[in-house]
Amino acid sequence: METIKISEVTKNFQEGEHVVHAVNGVDITIENGEFAALAGPSGSGKTTLLNLIGGLDRPTSGEISIDGTQLSKRKDNELTEIRLRKIGFVFQAYNLIPVLTAYENVQFVLQVQGVPEREHHDRIMPILEDLGIKGLENRFPTQLSGGQQQRVAVARAVVGNPTIVLADEPTANLDSETSKSLLDLMRRLNTEKGVTFLFSTHDPMVIERARRVIRLRDGKVQADERKN
Amino acid sequence: MIPGIFPKIIFLIMILCLTIIADNAEAIDFKYGAALRQNVLLFNRPAGVDESLMPEKSIGSSSTSLRLYENLYWQGVLLSAAIETKSNFISSTGSIFSGLGSGGSLFGTSQPLEHWDATFDYITGDSSNLRTRLERLDVTWSMGAYDFDIGRQPLSLGTSHFVGVLDVVAPFAPGDPDATYKPGVDAVRLRRMVGMTGEAEIIGVGSKPWEYGAVLGRFRLLYKGVDFEFVGGRFRQRGFGGVGWEGGISDYGIWGELALFDRKENEEKWRGGWSEAAFSGVAGIDVNLPVDIKAGGALMYQDFGVRNTDDLVDVYDDAPFREGWVFLASAGYGLVTLHRQMHPLVNADIAGLVNLVDSSTLWQPMITISVGDNADMSLYGWIGTGKENTVTITKTEMNSEFGSLPTGGGFYARWFF
């Protein structure tokens, strides 16, 4: 089942008198349950493409659809709504809100989604339990270890039942051991719960863990490798 | 050291990597970088140590490490390599604290298990040395649910706290300021994730001779907010098994490690505990106090340690100390830790070890400052208290473990680029 369909997408930026083709005619289909990486050197267009998929930017031409919903014809507030309901984000360095507890950091997504408060507990606690952080819900981020913060960040990304979780260079600011544990955590959610992940990276360690590697170069898909 | 073979191996690997990169530039992913670490320590001559053994009243030591690393992914395989060149200098040739001359650890350094001696010594002197070691050269790949990792690589067991009992392959000494990179060991690892929070692993570690290596099984599980790690197997011709835990219950953080070790009757004295097996354990608790202070306390016990100070003189001849995986000499310790984030870029820590046998104490205050996007610096000190020892050329009289450790301070800086 198609989760994301990217058809003939281009994204151009005007730099002075020059037009930069950051994404240049890309066709990709991401299926439900994939664990995929957009790989390529700096400037290859992976972050731009991730921003387009996440509805943070609009393509110059072409179409992106998520769960059959086309993004190009949507107004900004509709894009925000799609982003809120269909996409989860894992940020570099987690970006937890320091004045909120672990529970409240995860709950924040449900509040913004407008999920009735009486349902919050039943939605949040199973995820915290799955991720092994049940019992820590009243702690603030500074009272959590690095690994626990990591799990809260991932819980926040998946609590809204997104169609796909996007991560832009998720290991960029992490040491190799912490990177490994974050990747393991995302991989477990993928294999055990079927959560779809797409991340951009140029880290060989991340690419080794991905089940599908889409290589970009000069804004185009150079190769699309699927592993067994 | 086999300098004849080592550079050739490195050269061949470099040629191999460059060939792969040149032939497959479009299909490989390559990342490289370096880390520079500098550790400088000034310390005084410990009380009770005879001048003939350490003529200077105060001594300086310096350690500089340059590590180059790369990660190369090609055709489903990740090749990781790191090579480290380290220079040590100590201003006295008479120091009896050799560990301090190699980077600030009061308790010396561990001897990582390795089968291939990929170390090259350029300078080996009493007061300075210069050495290059291949710290990492391993290939990683996945096959279905299984991850394989073969080659020289870092390996950590247990909870990685100030003190521990499970990390027997290549542990850091307590409070070692230069604990950024684990020394690489020659290992084969097969790992499989189990469910959402479990992980099973079989680990083989090579040594020279092979029989001193390790064969270990490890199972990790996250249960009700607590990470558990079960480890068992054989290392350095000694069977062992243990469990570690780390997590939170209510508002408290808990951690600990328990282990049982076979005894080597011919290589270590029985100093207490069971005759069949030696027990070691540590259990700790952390609590968040007002004004953002995190306080911790722990108790540690080990059958390998001494029960009276008269035995301190010869305990370091026992196998666990000689082999470099036990560092503290007494049977019982209390540990106190305090941590405070003083500023988003400044962290302060104090760790105190209390020897429960002779009441001596050792304190390590440390302030770590983030001085740039890729750099930080720690200012630290060592302060020991307790009964003085008498150490001369002809006589060593030990009255406490920490009473005659040198008091000193230093800085440890790291720059990643």
Side-chain angles (χ1 to χ4, degrees):
Chain A
M1 184 183 156
E2 289 175 9
T3 293
I4 295 177
K5 188 165 176 54
I6 302 165
S7 309
E8 285 297 314
V9 164
T10 62
K11 178 66 184 177
N12 301 333
F13 294 106
Q14 192 76 35
E15 277 193 5
E17 295 179 355
H18 302 284
V19 175
V20 177
H21 304 288
V23 176
N24 195 356
V26 167
D27 282 295
I28 302 171
T29 300
I30 306 287
E31 308 281 345
N32 192 26
E34 287 209 74
F35 195 67
L38 294 172
S42 295
S44 60
K46 51 189 192 302
T47 295
T48 305
L49 185 57
L50 213 65
N51 287 344
L52 295 173
I53 296 168
L56 298 167
D57 204 351
R58 289 174 184 277
T60 306
S61 65
E63 186 56 75
I64 296 173
S65 61
I66 299 180
D67 272 352
T69 305
Q70 294 189 337
L71 302 187
S72 64
K73 299 181 179 67
R74 304 286 162 179
K75 295 174 186 168
D76 281 351
N77 60 340
E78 289 174 322
L79 277 180
T80 304
E81 190 69 14
I82 290 168
R83 208 160 43 231
L84 179 64
R85 302 201 178 276
K86 293 186 179 293
I87 299 169
F89 291 92
V90 175
F91 298 97
Q92 288 178 13
Y94 317 139
N95 282 14
L96 296 179
I97 301 168
V99 294
L100 301 181
T101 63
Y103 183 92
E104 290 164 346
N105 262 282
V106 181
Q107 186 185 29
F108 182 70
V109 173
L110 298 181
Q111 286 173 329
V112 180
Q113 280 187 341
V115 175
E117 187 137 6
R118 63 179 179 280
E119 295 178 21
H120 289 187
H121 189 265
D122 291 345
R123 291 272 295 269
I124 294 169
M125 293 315 289
I127 292 171
L128 297 186
E129 186 161 11
D130 277 347
L131 295 177
I133 46 176
K134 190 179 171 185
L136 305 178
E137 51 269 26
N138 293 323
R139 295 194 183 190
F140 292 97
T142 54
Q143 298 170 342
L144 297 169
S145 70
Q148 290 163 346
Q149 289 180 35
Q150 196 175 77
R151 291 169 191 156
V152 174
V154 173
R156 184 179 59 183
V158 300
V159 72
N161 289 330
T163 303
I164 189 167
V165 175
L166 303 179
D168 186 12
E169 300 276 6
T171 61
N173 295 323
L174 306 178
D175 62 58
S176 63
E177 280 303 310
T178 314
S179 300
K180 211 181 284 182
S181 73
L182 176 63
L183 288 167
D184 282 349
L185 191 58
M186 295 198 292
R187 208 167 92 182
R188 286 174 201 277
L189 276 167
N190 172 256
T191 52
E192 297 292 321
K193 304 287 178 186
V195 178
T196 309
F197 282 91
L198 177 65
F199 33 84
S200 71
T201 188
H202 65 279
D203 184 346
M205 198 174 80
V206 180
I207 294 166
E208 194 273 323
R209 290 261 194 302
R211 306 316 305 155
R212 179 182 175 189
V213 182
I214 302 160
R215 293 181 184 283
L216 297 179
R217 190 174 185 87
D218 299 330
K220 295 178 179 174
V221 175
Q222 186 187 31
D224 191 347
E225 309 156 11
R226 288 173 193 272
K227 301 177 192 171
N228 293 326
Chain B
M1 317 305 151
I2 42 173
I5 293 175
F6 171 51
K8 289 172 189 164
I9 292 173
I10 299 300
F11 181 72
L12 285 174
I13 290 166
M14 286 172 61
I15 293 293
L16 180 66
C17 288
L18 289 172
T19 306
I20 291 171
I21 291 168
D23 285 352
N24 305 276
E26 301 294 309
I28 63 153
D29 298 278
F30 187 57
K31 183 182 172 186
Y32 60 92
L36 183 65
R37 287 141 39 223
Q38 174 75 54
N39 193 12
V40 174
L41 178 65
L42 297 170
F43 57 97
N44 64 3
R45 183 176 64 219
V49 173
D50 192 76
E51 282 186 37
S52 61
L53 290 171
M54 192 180 278
E56 303 87 350
K57 282 188 176 175
S58 59
I59 289 168
S61 76
S62 168
S63 168
T64 306
S65 304
L66 176 65
R67 187 183 181 99
L68 307 173
Y69 69 86
E70 68 77 29
N71 287 320
L72 186 152
Y73 172 82
W74 181 59
Q75 300 274 324
V77 176
L78 177 69
L79 170 70
S80 302
I83 193 165
E84 187 166 307
T85 298
K86 185 172 187 176
S87 68
N88 297 311
F89 170 78
I90 188 162
S91 64
S92 168
T93 57
S95 172
I96 59 171
F97 294 95
S98 58
L100 290 169
S102 61
S105 169
L106 286 179
F107 303 100
T109 53
S110 66
Q111 300 155 25
L113 290 173
E114 61 178 19
H115 182 73
W116 289 280
D117 183 3
T119 304
F120 184 62
D121 286 305
Y122 308 95
I123 301 169
T124 50
D126 289 337
S127 60
S128 61
N129 59 68
L130 179 63
R131 154 178 289 196
T132 294
R133 182 173 190 256
L134 181 68
E135 286 291 345
R136 183 158 197 184
L137 184 63
D138 63 317
V139 289
T140 310
W141 74 97
S142 301
M143 206 178 285
Y146 295 92
D147 296 331
F148 299 84
D149 199 335
I150 296 177
R152 181 160 292 185
Q153 57 189 288
L155 173 62
S156 291
L157 305 172
T159 57
S160 303
H161 278 73
F162 194 87
V163 290
V165 301
L166 284 182
D167 200 7
V168 294
V169 175
F172 287 123
D176 187 344
D178 187 13
T180 303
Y181 294 107
K182 277 261 176 176
V185 297
D186 297 329
V188 176
R189 298 164 77 171
L190 168 61
R191 189 177 71 124
R192 187 200 157 97
M193 290 191 286
V194 181
M196 275 301 295
T197 61
E199 179 184 303
E201 188 172 18
I202 298 169
I203 304 166
V205 186
S207 72
K208 203 166 188 175
W210 283 108
E211 54 267 30
Y212 279 95
V215 178
L216 306 168
R218 167 156 78 174
F219 184 74
R220 291 201 271 205
L221 177 71
L222 183 60
Y223 181 71
K224 291 189 181 297
V226 180
D227 280 301
F228 289 93
E229 177 173 337
F230 301 88
V231 191
R234 197 167 173 78
F235 74 103
R236 296 182 193 269
Q237 296 189 304
R238 185 193 300 266
F240 98 112
V243 59
W245 64 92
E246 182 174 23
I249 292 180
S250 185
D251 290 334
Y252 301 98
I254 57 166
W255 63 275
E257 298 177 5
L258 306 175
L260 280 175
F261 299 89
D262 279 345
R263 290 187 183 275
K264 288 183 179 176
E265 290 177 6
N266 298 329
E267 297 188 47
E268 62 212 32
K269 285 185 183 171
W270 178 88
R271 300 184 186 280
W274 304 327
S275 57
E276 298 297 317
F279 170 76
S280 294
V282 57
I285 188 166
D286 297 323
V287 60
N288 291 295
L289 301 175
V291 292
D292 291 335
I293 291 177
K294 186 174 182 177
L299 287 173
M300 181 181 184
Y301 170 83
Q302 50 182 2
D303 281 342
F304 292 125
V306 303
R307 278 139 177 84
N308 65 70
T309 53
D310 294 339
D311 294 332
L312 279 170
V313 173
D314 64 359
V315 70
Y316 297 102
D317 292 331
D318 288 355
F321 296 88
R322 277 190 286 109
E323 293 167 352
W325 52 276
V326 172
F327 300 96
L328 297 173
S330 291
Y333 294 89
L335 172 68
V336 181
T337 58
L338 291 172
H339 168 83
R340 181 161 192 260
Q341 188 183 68
M342 303 169 74
H343 177 275
L345 301 177
V346 182
N347 286 285
D349 291 274
I350 296 175
L353 264 178
V354 180
N355 185 315
L356 301 178
V357 173
D358 60 33
S359 301
S360 63
T361 67
L362 179 65
W363 299 90
Q364 185 193 45
M366 180 180 285
I367 291 179
T368 303
I369 306 163
S370 176
V371 291
D373 283 348
N374 299 312
D376 60 34
M377 187 176 83
S378 299
L379 303 169
Y380 67 92
W382 287 112
I383 303 159
T385 69
K387 290 180 186 169
E388 286 182 12
N389 302 325
T390 304
V391 183
T392 67
I393 290 178
T394 55
K395 186 177 81 169
T396 300
E397 185 182 305
M398 298 288 283
N399 298 310
S400 72
E401 184 181 10
F402 301 136
S404 281
L405 284 179
T407 295
F411 75 85
Y412 174 65
R414 303 183 299 178
W415 182 32
F416 303 92
F417 55 100

